Amino acid sequence: MVRGKTQMKRIENATSRQVTFSKRRSGLFKKAFELSVLCDAEVALIIFSPGGKLYEFSSSSVNKTIQRYQKDVKNRAIKQKPTEENIQNLRSETADLMRKIELLEDSKRKLLGDDLDARSMEELEEIEEQLQQSLISIRARKEKILAKQNKELRRKLPWTVAFNLVLILSEFIINLSFTHYSLPI
């Protein structure tokens, strides 16, 4: 026989309600015990009957579990609640980062030549100096790369010349042999 789905509403009959309470309380205690044994979990269960009677189960001690629970709730609240000092530090850090971003964007605009009409002669000379320093650094790096490539090509040059001589000689020998020894058709 299949059990029907129980409606979740208050049982009106007092006797049926008491029997259901007793059976479900026992089942709940059994599940709490199984959970504590199988999973090595700390479990505490507190139930007050409709008549006000206390029923409790704990894998260790109800008081110890409640104290642990209260301590954990308090610690979580402290971690989640940002202090005024933390908020002020974050605001200050945000303002510093915003200033740095603005300075970097201004520097970028200067180097790209944007918004030069609003610049003074001193600022333009400063930008020119920065660009000249950048060009010097770029040229130095470029010369270093070219010198390295040149050195590598010079290292390969004798082999390339020798290989070309071998190709020229082999072509010459092939042409020479065909002119002296022509094959009859």
Side-chain angles (χ1 to χ4, degrees), residues 20-171:
T20 301
F21 173 79
S22 181
K23 286 181 180 179
R24 290 193 176 233
R25 182 193 71 228
S26 298
L28 194 55
F29 282 164
K30 181 179 178 187
K31 291 293 182 186
F33 173 74
E34 290 171 357
L35 182 64
S36 70
V37 171
L38 294 174
C39 301
D40 196 26
E42 186 175 344
V43 178
L45 182 61
I46 301 171
I47 301 174
F48 287 97
S49 71
K53 186 174 179 186
L54 171 67
Y55 298 93
E56 63 182 55
F57 165 81
S58 179
S59 57
S60 57
S61 159
V62 173
N63 288 334
K64 180 180 153 193
T65 305
I66 290 173
Q67 286 173 352
R68 182 176 173 193
Y69 169 76
Q70 289 172 335
K71 182 179 175 185
D72 188 63
V73 168
K74 184 179 178 183
N75 287 341
R76 272 192 267 154
I78 290 171
K79 287 179 185 176
Q80 290 176 350
K81 182 181 176 186
T83 63
E84 186 62 35
E85 184 181 333
N86 288 346
I87 292 172
Q88 190 60 33
N89 288 341
L90 290 173
R91 285 182 182 153
S92 175
E93 189 176 333
T94 302
D96 288 344
L97 290 173
M98 293 299 287
R99 279 191 296 277
K100 286 179 183 177
I101 288 171
E102 184 57 38
L103 288 173
L104 288 171
E105 286 177 349
D106 187 49
S107 178
K108 176 185 161 191
R109 283 191 298 273
K110 284 180 188 177
L111 293 175
L112 291 176
D114 295 342
D115 197 26
L116 291 179
D117 294 337
R119 306 290 177 187
S120 69
M121 184 58 126
E122 293 164 352
E123 285 180 302
L124 291 173
E125 288 173 352
E126 182 183 318
I127 293 168
E128 184 180 24
E129 179 65 29
Q130 286 176 345
L131 289 172
Q132 286 176 351
Q133 290 299 322
S134 294
L135 279 173
I136 290 170
S137 297
I138 291 168
R139 286 182 181 138
R141 176 68 181 139
K142 187 177 172 183
E143 287 175 10
K144 189 175 181 180
I145 291 171
L146 287 173
K148 185 177 178 182
Q149 289 175 346
N150 193 9
K151 183 179 178 182
E152 183 65 22
L153 289 173
R154 287 181 188 268
R155 187 184 64 79
K156 292 179 180 179
L157 183 65
W159 291 102
T160 307
V161 170
F163 184 70
N164 282 338
L165 282 174
V166 169
L167 287 176
I168 291 170
L169 284 173
S170 59
E171 187 177 322

